[in-house]
């Protein structure tokens, strides 16, 4: 259970009036262009920067994917990756700037305890800089296949295998010892809050792809998915009546840690319609639950003339199956331009996440235990069907260098926040929808390729804030918004090329090196050679 020392130092307080808030926003935007990212919410399936390259191309890759995102978007595309390759992508810096309206007084006040309490400057601005890894994959040929009739195309009958580990969803947000002080009439308020929560989905497993003809490729992947959610909250509030010297204090502390392990499959195909246009389809199957774990605790205290305490702790189940998804895409490839448009349909879920725990509740009043009982905690978060779209483009400046960019939507599938609710009835605090835009460049060499760029994010919606001036403490929805960007470095390394170079260096050291061959022109696996004029 979270321990909270109070009151915190006044310097921990983050409050912004209109002018100062605007200046902070401009500064945050400038910092964001240097390498930042928004924190991402549960229920936003396009949140993680999967694959690096795909993230910069608007989250696309159902037809033309060749990076670490390929096994998770459409495993049929990995047959495009030649030879043995390690694909990597990294989110080196992630910056988030979030504004929470009316955070310290989000809803109605219990007038019997606090009178007509009206506080000013209760909006909070929070920002942070983090670093996170993304995806790593190893690709290799299982069967080389026979050369097709068109020498520009991949070998017919070729089979490619891959082993991947990736973060497919992420959400981290929090602040420590966030202090607030204010006055309303004869009442003086001092408050401190600490909030931390993290949601993440990690997937690992093998993938396989087969080129059945010079037009058709198919693939499948199996993944073990670990969904982990942790949260901790501490709120301490003191309201003093300066006219009488009386005071009311309330504290709220809660913590939860849950793990859900599931297995699922991705199935996909790609088909070349003409020399320019191609299409792709992939399905993420319903998952099979493997096992889970949950631990949770809670304590709230209200001190007026007497002190009343409610405490409980328990353990049980945390089930969070990944949603079933159908993805379709179309692409066009010319000698200097590639375009891809993808759509992602996520099925609704009656149980996006479910908590079921057996707990022991203890009530204390006036320094004595008044009750002790066993009870059951059940919380279910639902998800609606959601459609997201992504558009990506790659323009070749030279044969070895291209510019990439794209945009994609990221709608929230969780049910909206309506009115005040019990603090023990919700798992997730956010309901924000967003949009992502990426921009970068790709350099192609005979050793592999390197992707460098940034993805920018904007999201807006609601967040559930803890109303410490209600009895019992409850959640009230407030408006919030967030922006940021992520510095992305990604690429592929050809292991065969590395081995050849190492062998050539060894021969040169021994004095037995052959004359160097003519420099080979690098070829990006997705791109046919440029047409002759």
């Amino acid at each position: 259970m979270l321990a909270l020392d109070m009151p915190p130092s006044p310097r921990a307080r983050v409050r912004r009036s209109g002018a100062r808030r605007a200046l902070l926003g401009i500064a945050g935007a400038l910092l964001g262009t240097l390498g930042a990212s928004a924190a991402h919410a549960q229920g936003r399936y396009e949140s993680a920067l999967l694959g690096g390259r795909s993230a910069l191309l608007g989250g696309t890759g159902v037809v033309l994917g060749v990076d670490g995102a390929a096994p998770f978007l459409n495993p049929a595309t990995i047959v495009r990756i030649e030879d043995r390759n390690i694909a990597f992508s990294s989110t080196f810096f992630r910056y988030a700037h979030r504004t929470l309206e009316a955070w310290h007084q989000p809803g109605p006040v219990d007038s019997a305890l606090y009178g007509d309490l009206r506080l000013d400057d209760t909006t909070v601005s929070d920002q942070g800089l983090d670093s996170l890894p993304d995806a790593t994959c190893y690709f290799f040929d299982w069967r080389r296949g026979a050369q097709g009739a068109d020498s520009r195309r991949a070998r017919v009958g070729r089979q490619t295998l891959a082993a991947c580990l990736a973060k497919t969803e992420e959400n981290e947000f929090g602040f420590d010892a966030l202090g607030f002080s204010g006055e309303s009439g004869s009442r003086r308020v001092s408050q401190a809050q600490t909030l931390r929560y993290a949601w993440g989905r990690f997937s690992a497993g093998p993938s396989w792809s087969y080129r059945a003809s010079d037009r058709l490729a198919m693939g499948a992947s199996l993944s073990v998915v670990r969904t982990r959610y942790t949260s901790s909250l501490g709120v301490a509030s003191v309201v003093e009546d300066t006219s009488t010297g009386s005071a009311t204090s309330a504290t709220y502390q809660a913590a939860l840690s849950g793990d859900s392990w599931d297995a699922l499959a991705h199935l996909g195909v790609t088909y070349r319609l003409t020399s320019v246009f191609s299409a792709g389809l992939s399905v993420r199957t319903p998952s099979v639950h493997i096992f889970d774990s949950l631990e949770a605790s809670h304590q709230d205290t209200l001190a007026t003339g007497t002190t009343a305490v409610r405490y409980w702790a328990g353990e049980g189940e945390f089930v969070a199956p990944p949603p079933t998804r159908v993805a379709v895409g179309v692409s066009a490839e010319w000698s200097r331009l590639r375009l891809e448009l993808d759509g992602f349909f996520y099925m609704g879920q009656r149980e996006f996440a479910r908590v079921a725990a057996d707990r022991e509740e203890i009530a204390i009043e006036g320094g004595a235990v008044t009750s002790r009982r066993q009870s059951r905690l059940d919380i279910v978060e639902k998800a609606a069907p959601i459609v997201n779209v992504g558009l990506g483009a790659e323009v070749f400046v030279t044969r070895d260098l291209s510019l990439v960019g794209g945009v994609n939507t990221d709608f929230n599938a969780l049910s909206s926040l309506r009115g005040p609710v019990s603090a023990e009835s919700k798992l997730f605090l956010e309901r924000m929808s967003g949009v992502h835009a990426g921009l970068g460049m790709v350099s192609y060499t005979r050793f592999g390729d390197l992707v460098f760029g940034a993805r920018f994010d904007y999201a807006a919606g609601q967040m559930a804030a803890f109303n410490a001036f209600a009895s019992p403490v409850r959640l009230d929805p407030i408006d919030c918004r967030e922006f940021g960007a992520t510095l992305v470095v990604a690429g592929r390394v050809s292991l065969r090329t590395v081995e050849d170079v190492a062998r050539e260096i060894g021969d040169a050291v021994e004095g037995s090196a052959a004359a160097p061959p003519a420099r080979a022109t690098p070829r990006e696996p997705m791109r046919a050679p440029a047409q002759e004029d």
Side-chain angles (χ1 to χ4, degrees), residues 258-311:
D259 278 284
S260 179
W261 291 82
D262 302 87
L264 54 81
H266 292 79
L267 308 174
V269 296
T270 61
Y271 189 79
R272 183 165 58 89
L273 303 170
T274 70
S275 60
V276 173
F277 298 102
S278 300
L281 170 69
S282 72
V283 176
R284 185 167 71 190
T285 67
S287 60
V288 176
H289 188 62
I290 303 174
F291 62 89
D292 57 78
S293 63
L294 171 76
E295 294 182 347
S297 62
H298 165 104
Q299 177 175 315
D300 62 79
T301 302
L302 177 64
T304 53
T306 60
T307 300
V309 180
R310 177 173 173 262
Y311 163 88

Short mmCIF file of all heavy atoms in Angstrom, two decimals, residues 258-311:
data_model
loop_
_atom_site.label_atom_id
_atom_site.label_comp_id
_atom_site.label_asym_id
_atom_site.label_seq_id
_atom_site.Cartn_x
_atom_site.Cartn_y
_atom_site.Cartn_z
N GLY A 258 -1.73 -6.10 -11.41
CA GLY A 258 -2.33 -7.25 -12.07
C GLY A 258 -1.56 -7.68 -13.30
O GLY A 258 -0.99 -6.84 -14.02
N ASP A 259 -1.53 -8.99 -13.56
CA ASP A 259 -0.90 -9.57 -14.75
C ASP A 259 -1.88 -10.52 -15.41
O ASP A 259 -2.52 -11.33 -14.73
CB ASP A 259 0.36 -10.34 -14.39
CG ASP A 259 1.57 -9.42 -14.23
OD1 ASP A 259 2.09 -8.98 -15.27
OD2 ASP A 259 1.97 -9.15 -13.09
N SER A 260 -1.98 -10.43 -16.74
CA SER A 260 -2.81 -11.35 -17.51
C SER A 260 -1.98 -11.90 -18.65
O SER A 260 -1.38 -11.15 -19.43
CB SER A 260 -4.05 -10.63 -18.06
OG SER A 260 -4.84 -11.50 -18.84
N TRP A 261 -1.91 -13.23 -18.78
CA TRP A 261 -1.16 -13.90 -19.83
C TRP A 261 -2.15 -14.58 -20.78
O TRP A 261 -3.02 -15.34 -20.35
CB TRP A 261 -0.20 -14.93 -19.25
CG TRP A 261 0.93 -14.33 -18.47
CD1 TRP A 261 0.89 -13.90 -17.17
CD2 TRP A 261 2.26 -14.10 -18.92
NE1 TRP A 261 2.11 -13.41 -16.78
CE2 TRP A 261 2.98 -13.52 -17.86
CE3 TRP A 261 2.91 -14.32 -20.13
CZ2 TRP A 261 4.32 -13.17 -17.97
CZ3 TRP A 261 4.26 -13.97 -20.24
CH2 TRP A 261 4.95 -13.40 -19.17
N ASP A 262 -1.99 -14.30 -22.08
CA ASP A 262 -2.89 -14.83 -23.08
C ASP A 262 -2.10 -15.27 -24.32
O ASP A 262 -0.95 -14.83 -24.51
CB ASP A 262 -3.94 -13.79 -23.49
CG ASP A 262 -4.77 -13.30 -22.31
OD1 ASP A 262 -4.32 -12.34 -21.63
OD2 ASP A 262 -5.82 -13.89 -22.06
N ALA A 263 -2.71 -16.09 -25.16
CA ALA A 263 -2.10 -16.53 -26.42
C ALA A 263 -3.07 -16.26 -27.56
O ALA A 263 -4.28 -16.38 -27.40
CB ALA A 263 -1.75 -18.01 -26.36
N LEU A 264 -2.51 -15.86 -28.71
CA LEU A 264 -3.34 -15.59 -29.88
C LEU A 264 -2.52 -15.82 -31.14
O LEU A 264 -1.32 -16.08 -31.09
CB LEU A 264 -3.90 -14.17 -29.85
CG LEU A 264 -2.92 -13.00 -29.68
CD1 LEU A 264 -2.25 -12.61 -30.99
CD2 LEU A 264 -3.64 -11.78 -29.11
N ALA A 265 -3.19 -15.71 -32.29
CA ALA A 265 -2.54 -15.90 -33.59
C ALA A 265 -2.89 -14.73 -34.50
O ALA A 265 -3.95 -14.10 -34.38
CB ALA A 265 -2.99 -17.21 -34.22
N HIS A 266 -1.94 -14.44 -35.42
CA HIS A 266 -2.19 -13.50 -36.52
C HIS A 266 -2.13 -14.29 -37.82
O HIS A 266 -1.17 -15.05 -38.03
CB HIS A 266 -1.13 -12.40 -36.56
CG HIS A 266 -1.18 -11.45 -35.42
ND1 HIS A 266 -0.65 -11.75 -34.18
CD2 HIS A 266 -1.69 -10.19 -35.32
CE1 HIS A 266 -0.83 -10.72 -33.37
NE2 HIS A 266 -1.46 -9.77 -34.04
N LEU A 267 -3.11 -14.10 -38.70
CA LEU A 267 -3.15 -14.75 -40.00
C LEU A 267 -3.26 -13.66 -41.06
O LEU A 267 -4.03 -12.69 -40.89
CB LEU A 267 -4.34 -15.70 -40.11
CG LEU A 267 -4.49 -16.74 -38.98
CD1 LEU A 267 -5.79 -17.51 -39.15
CD2 LEU A 267 -3.30 -17.69 -38.96
N GLY A 268 -2.52 -13.81 -42.17
CA GLY A 268 -2.56 -12.75 -43.17
C GLY A 268 -2.20 -13.20 -44.56
O GLY A 268 -1.56 -14.25 -44.75
N VAL A 269 -2.60 -12.40 -45.55
CA VAL A 269 -2.26 -12.61 -46.95
C VAL A 269 -1.99 -11.26 -47.59
O VAL A 269 -2.50 -10.22 -47.14
CB VAL A 269 -3.38 -13.33 -47.74
CG1 VAL A 269 -3.61 -14.72 -47.20
CG2 VAL A 269 -4.67 -12.52 -47.72
N THR A 270 -1.16 -11.27 -48.63
CA THR A 270 -0.98 -10.12 -49.50
C THR A 270 -1.12 -10.59 -50.95
O THR A 270 -0.76 -11.74 -51.26
CB THR A 270 0.39 -9.43 -49.31
OG1 THR A 270 1.44 -10.36 -49.63
CG2 THR A 270 0.56 -8.93 -47.89
N TYR A 271 -1.60 -9.72 -51.82
CA TYR A 271 -1.80 -10.10 -53.21
C TYR A 271 -1.47 -8.91 -54.10
O TYR A 271 -1.96 -7.79 -53.87
CB TYR A 271 -3.24 -10.54 -53.46
CG TYR A 271 -3.45 -11.14 -54.83
CD1 TYR A 271 -3.07 -12.46 -55.09
CD2 TYR A 271 -4.02 -10.39 -55.86
CE1 TYR A 271 -3.25 -13.01 -56.34
CE2 TYR A 271 -4.20 -10.94 -57.13
CZ TYR A 271 -3.81 -12.25 -57.36
OH TYR A 271 -3.98 -12.80 -58.61
N ARG A 272 -0.60 -9.14 -55.10
CA ARG A 272 -0.24 -8.09 -56.05
C ARG A 272 -1.26 -8.06 -57.16
O ARG A 272 -1.35 -8.98 -57.98
CB ARG A 272 1.17 -8.35 -56.59
CG ARG A 272 1.67 -7.27 -57.54
CD ARG A 272 3.17 -7.37 -57.76
NE ARG A 272 3.54 -8.68 -58.28
CZ ARG A 272 3.60 -8.99 -59.58
NH1 ARG A 272 3.27 -8.08 -60.48
NH2 ARG A 272 3.99 -10.18 -59.97
N LEU A 273 -2.06 -7.02 -57.22
CA LEU A 273 -3.13 -6.90 -58.19
C LEU A 273 -2.60 -6.59 -59.58
O LEU A 273 -3.02 -7.19 -60.58
CB LEU A 273 -4.12 -5.83 -57.74
CG LEU A 273 -4.76 -6.04 -56.36
CD1 LEU A 273 -5.53 -4.79 -55.94
CD2 LEU A 273 -5.65 -7.26 -56.36
N THR A 274 -1.69 -5.61 -59.65
CA THR A 274 -1.05 -5.21 -60.91
C THR A 274 0.41 -4.93 -60.61
O THR A 274 0.88 -5.14 -59.47
CB THR A 274 -1.72 -3.96 -61.51
OG1 THR A 274 -1.42 -2.83 -60.68
CG2 THR A 274 -3.23 -4.13 -61.61
N SER A 275 1.13 -4.42 -61.57
CA SER A 275 2.53 -4.07 -61.34
C SER A 275 2.67 -2.89 -60.39
O SER A 275 3.75 -2.63 -59.85
CB SER A 275 3.22 -3.73 -62.66
OG SER A 275 2.56 -2.62 -63.29
N VAL A 276 1.56 -2.18 -60.14
CA VAL A 276 1.58 -1.00 -59.26
C VAL A 276 0.82 -1.25 -57.96
O VAL A 276 1.32 -0.94 -56.87
CB VAL A 276 1.00 0.23 -59.98
CG1 VAL A 276 0.87 1.42 -59.01
CG2 VAL A 276 1.87 0.62 -61.16
N PHE A 277 -0.35 -1.84 -58.04
CA PHE A 277 -1.24 -1.93 -56.89
C PHE A 277 -1.20 -3.31 -56.24
O PHE A 277 -1.14 -4.34 -56.92
CB PHE A 277 -2.67 -1.59 -57.30
CG PHE A 277 -2.83 -0.20 -57.82
CD1 PHE A 277 -2.93 0.05 -59.18
CD2 PHE A 277 -2.87 0.88 -56.95
CE1 PHE A 277 -3.07 1.33 -59.66
CE2 PHE A 277 -3.01 2.18 -57.41
CZ PHE A 277 -3.10 2.41 -58.78
N SER A 278 -1.26 -3.30 -54.88
CA SER A 278 -1.31 -4.53 -54.09
C SER A 278 -2.32 -4.35 -52.97
O SER A 278 -2.71 -3.22 -52.63
CB SER A 278 0.06 -4.87 -53.50
OG SER A 278 1.03 -5.05 -54.52
N ALA A 279 -2.75 -5.48 -52.38
CA ALA A 279 -3.71 -5.44 -51.28
C ALA A 279 -3.29 -6.45 -50.22
O ALA A 279 -2.55 -7.41 -50.50
CB ALA A 279 -5.12 -5.75 -51.77
N GLY A 280 -3.74 -6.22 -49.00
CA GLY A 280 -3.41 -7.12 -47.89
C GLY A 280 -4.56 -7.25 -46.92
O GLY A 280 -5.39 -6.33 -46.79
N LEU A 281 -4.62 -8.39 -46.25
CA LEU A 281 -5.65 -8.65 -45.25
C LEU A 281 -5.03 -9.45 -44.11
O LEU A 281 -4.28 -10.41 -44.36
CB LEU A 281 -6.81 -9.44 -45.86
CG LEU A 281 -7.86 -10.00 -44.89
CD1 LEU A 281 -8.67 -8.87 -44.28
CD2 LEU A 281 -8.77 -11.00 -45.61
N SER A 282 -5.32 -9.08 -42.88
CA SER A 282 -4.83 -9.84 -41.73
C SER A 282 -5.90 -9.89 -40.66
O SER A 282 -6.73 -8.97 -40.55
CB SER A 282 -3.53 -9.25 -41.17
OG SER A 282 -3.78 -8.03 -40.50
N VAL A 283 -5.87 -10.96 -39.88
CA VAL A 283 -6.84 -11.16 -38.79
C VAL A 283 -6.07 -11.54 -37.53
O VAL A 283 -5.22 -12.44 -37.56
CB VAL A 283 -7.85 -12.28 -39.14
CG1 VAL A 283 -8.78 -12.53 -37.96
CG2 VAL A 283 -8.65 -11.92 -40.38
N ARG A 284 -6.36 -10.83 -36.45
CA ARG A 284 -5.86 -11.23 -35.13
C ARG A 284 -6.99 -11.99 -34.45
O ARG A 284 -8.06 -11.44 -34.21
CB ARG A 284 -5.43 -10.02 -34.30
CG ARG A 284 -4.80 -10.42 -32.98
CD ARG A 284 -4.10 -9.24 -32.33
NE ARG A 284 -5.03 -8.25 -31.83
CZ ARG A 284 -4.67 -7.04 -31.39
NH1 ARG A 284 -3.41 -6.69 -31.43
NH2 ARG A 284 -5.58 -6.19 -30.94
N THR A 285 -6.73 -13.24 -34.13
CA THR A 285 -7.78 -14.12 -33.63
C THR A 285 -8.15 -13.80 -32.19
O THR A 285 -7.39 -13.12 -31.48
CB THR A 285 -7.32 -15.58 -33.71
OG1 THR A 285 -6.23 -15.77 -32.78
CG2 THR A 285 -6.85 -15.93 -35.11
N PRO A 286 -9.30 -14.28 -31.73
CA PRO A 286 -9.60 -14.19 -30.29
C PRO A 286 -8.51 -14.90 -29.50
O PRO A 286 -7.92 -15.88 -29.96
CB PRO A 286 -10.94 -14.91 -30.17
CG PRO A 286 -11.56 -14.81 -31.52
CD PRO A 286 -10.41 -14.87 -32.50
N SER A 287 -8.24 -14.42 -28.30
CA SER A 287 -7.15 -14.96 -27.50
C SER A 287 -7.62 -16.09 -26.59
O SER A 287 -8.82 -16.23 -26.31
CB SER A 287 -6.52 -13.85 -26.64
OG SER A 287 -7.49 -13.29 -25.77
N VAL A 288 -6.66 -16.87 -26.16
CA VAL A 288 -6.89 -17.94 -25.20
C VAL A 288 -6.19 -17.55 -23.90
O VAL A 288 -4.98 -17.30 -23.89
CB VAL A 288 -6.36 -19.29 -25.71
CG1 VAL A 288 -6.52 -20.37 -24.64
CG2 VAL A 288 -7.07 -19.68 -27.00
N HIS A 289 -6.95 -17.46 -22.81
CA HIS A 289 -6.37 -17.05 -21.54
C HIS A 289 -5.54 -18.17 -20.93
O HIS A 289 -5.95 -19.34 -20.94
CB HIS A 289 -7.48 -16.64 -20.56
CG HIS A 289 -6.97 -16.02 -19.30
ND1 HIS A 289 -6.25 -14.86 -19.27
CD2 HIS A 289 -7.05 -16.43 -18.00
CE1 HIS A 289 -5.93 -14.56 -18.03
NE2 HIS A 289 -6.40 -15.50 -17.24
N ILE A 290 -4.36 -17.82 -20.41
CA ILE A 290 -3.46 -18.81 -19.84
C ILE A 290 -3.50 -18.76 -18.31
O ILE A 290 -3.91 -19.70 -17.66
CB ILE A 290 -2.02 -18.60 -20.35
CG1 ILE A 290 -1.99 -18.64 -21.89
CG2 ILE A 290 -1.08 -19.66 -19.77
CD1 ILE A 290 -0.64 -18.31 -22.49
N PHE A 291 -3.09 -17.65 -17.74
CA PHE A 291 -3.19 -17.48 -16.29
C PHE A 291 -3.09 -16.01 -15.95
O PHE A 291 -2.81 -15.16 -16.81
CB PHE A 291 -2.11 -18.29 -15.54
CG PHE A 291 -0.70 -17.89 -15.85
CD1 PHE A 291 -0.06 -16.89 -15.12
CD2 PHE A 291 0.01 -18.50 -16.87
CE1 PHE A 291 1.24 -16.51 -15.39
CE2 PHE A 291 1.31 -18.14 -17.15
CZ PHE A 291 1.93 -17.14 -16.41
N ASP A 292 -3.32 -15.67 -14.68
CA ASP A 292 -3.31 -14.27 -14.26
C ASP A 292 -3.02 -14.18 -12.77
O ASP A 292 -3.00 -15.18 -12.06
CB ASP A 292 -4.66 -13.61 -14.58
CG ASP A 292 -5.82 -14.34 -13.93
OD1 ASP A 292 -6.03 -14.17 -12.72
OD2 ASP A 292 -6.50 -15.11 -14.64
N SER A 293 -2.84 -12.96 -12.30
CA SER A 293 -2.64 -12.70 -10.87
C SER A 293 -3.07 -11.28 -10.56
O SER A 293 -3.05 -10.41 -11.43
CB SER A 293 -1.18 -12.91 -10.46
OG SER A 293 -0.33 -11.99 -11.12
N LEU A 294 -3.47 -11.04 -9.31
CA LEU A 294 -3.91 -9.71 -8.89
C LEU A 294 -3.68 -9.55 -7.40
O LEU A 294 -3.96 -10.45 -6.61
CB LEU A 294 -5.40 -9.51 -9.19
CG LEU A 294 -6.03 -8.24 -8.60
CD1 LEU A 294 -5.61 -7.02 -9.42
CD2 LEU A 294 -7.54 -8.34 -8.52
N GLU A 295 -3.18 -8.37 -7.02
CA GLU A 295 -3.09 -7.96 -5.62
C GLU A 295 -3.56 -6.52 -5.52
O GLU A 295 -3.22 -5.69 -6.37
CB GLU A 295 -1.65 -8.08 -5.10
CG GLU A 295 -1.15 -9.52 -5.02
CD GLU A 295 0.26 -9.61 -4.45
OE1 GLU A 295 0.92 -8.55 -4.35
OE2 GLU A 295 0.69 -10.71 -4.11
N ALA A 296 -4.36 -6.22 -4.51
CA ALA A 296 -4.92 -4.88 -4.38
C ALA A 296 -5.11 -4.54 -2.91
O ALA A 296 -5.31 -5.42 -2.06
CB ALA A 296 -6.25 -4.77 -5.12
N SER A 297 -5.06 -3.23 -2.60
CA SER A 297 -5.29 -2.76 -1.23
C SER A 297 -5.89 -1.36 -1.28
O SER A 297 -5.78 -0.65 -2.28
CB SER A 297 -4.00 -2.75 -0.41
OG SER A 297 -3.06 -1.85 -0.99
N HIS A 298 -6.52 -0.97 -0.17
CA HIS A 298 -7.26 0.29 -0.13
C HIS A 298 -7.40 0.73 1.33
O HIS A 298 -7.58 -0.10 2.22
CB HIS A 298 -8.65 0.06 -0.74
CG HIS A 298 -9.64 1.15 -0.46
ND1 HIS A 298 -10.00 2.08 -1.42
CD2 HIS A 298 -10.36 1.45 0.65
CE1 HIS A 298 -10.89 2.89 -0.89
NE2 HIS A 298 -11.13 2.54 0.35
N GLN A 299 -7.29 2.05 1.54
CA GLN A 299 -7.58 2.59 2.87
C GLN A 299 -8.04 4.04 2.71
O GLN A 299 -7.43 4.81 1.97
CB GLN A 299 -6.36 2.56 3.79
CG GLN A 299 -6.64 3.19 5.16
CD GLN A 299 -5.47 3.05 6.13
OE1 GLN A 299 -4.89 1.98 6.24
NE2 GLN A 299 -5.12 4.14 6.79
N ASP A 300 -9.13 4.40 3.37
CA ASP A 300 -9.55 5.79 3.42
C ASP A 300 -9.88 6.16 4.87
O ASP A 300 -10.41 5.34 5.62
CB ASP A 300 -10.73 6.06 2.49
CG ASP A 300 -11.97 5.27 2.86
OD1 ASP A 300 -12.67 5.68 3.81
OD2 ASP A 300 -12.24 4.24 2.21
N THR A 301 -9.53 7.40 5.21
CA THR A 301 -9.70 7.89 6.58
C THR A 301 -10.37 9.25 6.54
O THR A 301 -10.01 10.11 5.73
CB THR A 301 -8.34 8.03 7.28
OG1 THR A 301 -7.67 6.77 7.28
CG2 THR A 301 -8.51 8.50 8.71
N LEU A 302 -11.36 9.44 7.40
CA LEU A 302 -12.02 10.73 7.54
C LEU A 302 -11.96 11.12 9.01
O LEU A 302 -12.46 10.40 9.89
CB LEU A 302 -13.47 10.66 7.07
CG LEU A 302 -14.29 11.95 7.24
CD1 LEU A 302 -13.70 13.06 6.37
CD2 LEU A 302 -15.76 11.71 6.88
N ALA A 303 -11.33 12.27 9.30
CA ALA A 303 -11.19 12.75 10.66
C ALA A 303 -11.93 14.07 10.81
O ALA A 303 -11.56 15.09 10.22
CB ALA A 303 -9.71 12.92 11.02
N THR A 304 -13.01 14.06 11.58
CA THR A 304 -13.75 15.28 11.93
C THR A 304 -13.65 15.44 13.44
O THR A 304 -12.59 15.70 13.96
CB THR A 304 -15.21 15.19 11.44
OG1 THR A 304 -15.79 13.97 11.93
CG2 THR A 304 -15.28 15.20 9.92
N GLY A 305 -14.76 15.25 14.16
CA GLY A 305 -14.66 15.18 15.62
C GLY A 305 -14.04 13.86 16.04
O GLY A 305 -13.29 13.77 17.01
N THR A 306 -14.36 12.79 15.30
CA THR A 306 -13.78 11.48 15.52
C THR A 306 -13.13 11.02 14.21
O THR A 306 -13.29 11.65 13.17
CB THR A 306 -14.84 10.46 15.95
OG1 THR A 306 -15.83 10.36 14.93
CG2 THR A 306 -15.50 10.88 17.26
N THR A 307 -12.41 9.91 14.29
CA THR A 307 -11.72 9.38 13.12
C THR A 307 -12.36 8.06 12.69
O THR A 307 -12.54 7.15 13.50
CB THR A 307 -10.22 9.15 13.41
OG1 THR A 307 -9.63 10.39 13.79
CG2 THR A 307 -9.52 8.59 12.19
N ALA A 308 -12.70 7.96 11.40
CA ALA A 308 -13.27 6.74 10.83
C ALA A 308 -12.33 6.23 9.74
O ALA A 308 -11.90 7.00 8.87
CB ALA A 308 -14.66 7.00 10.26
N VAL A 309 -12.01 4.94 9.81
CA VAL A 309 -11.08 4.32 8.87
C VAL A 309 -11.75 3.11 8.23
O VAL A 309 -12.41 2.31 8.92
CB VAL A 309 -9.77 3.88 9.57
CG1 VAL A 309 -8.81 3.24 8.57
CG2 VAL A 309 -9.12 5.05 10.27
N ARG A 310 -11.57 2.97 6.92
CA ARG A 310 -12.00 1.76 6.21
C ARG A 310 -10.79 1.21 5.47
O ARG A 310 -10.13 1.93 4.71
CB ARG A 310 -13.12 2.07 5.24
CG ARG A 310 -13.56 0.84 4.42
CD ARG A 310 -14.81 1.16 3.60
NE ARG A 310 -15.15 0.07 2.70
CZ ARG A 310 -14.81 0.01 1.40
NH1 ARG A 310 -14.12 1.01 0.86
NH2 ARG A 310 -15.16 -1.02 0.66
N TYR A 311 -10.52 -0.07 5.68
CA TYR A 311 -9.35 -0.71 5.09
C TYR A 311 -9.74 -2.05 4.49
O TYR A 311 -10.59 -2.76 5.03
CB TYR A 311 -8.28 -0.94 6.17
CG TYR A 311 -7.21 -1.94 5.77
CD1 TYR A 311 -6.07 -1.54 5.08
CD2 TYR A 311 -7.35 -3.30 6.08
CE1 TYR A 311 -5.10 -2.47 4.71
CE2 TYR A 311 -6.39 -4.22 5.71
CZ TYR A 311 -5.26 -3.80 5.02
OH TYR A 311 -4.31 -4.72 4.65
#
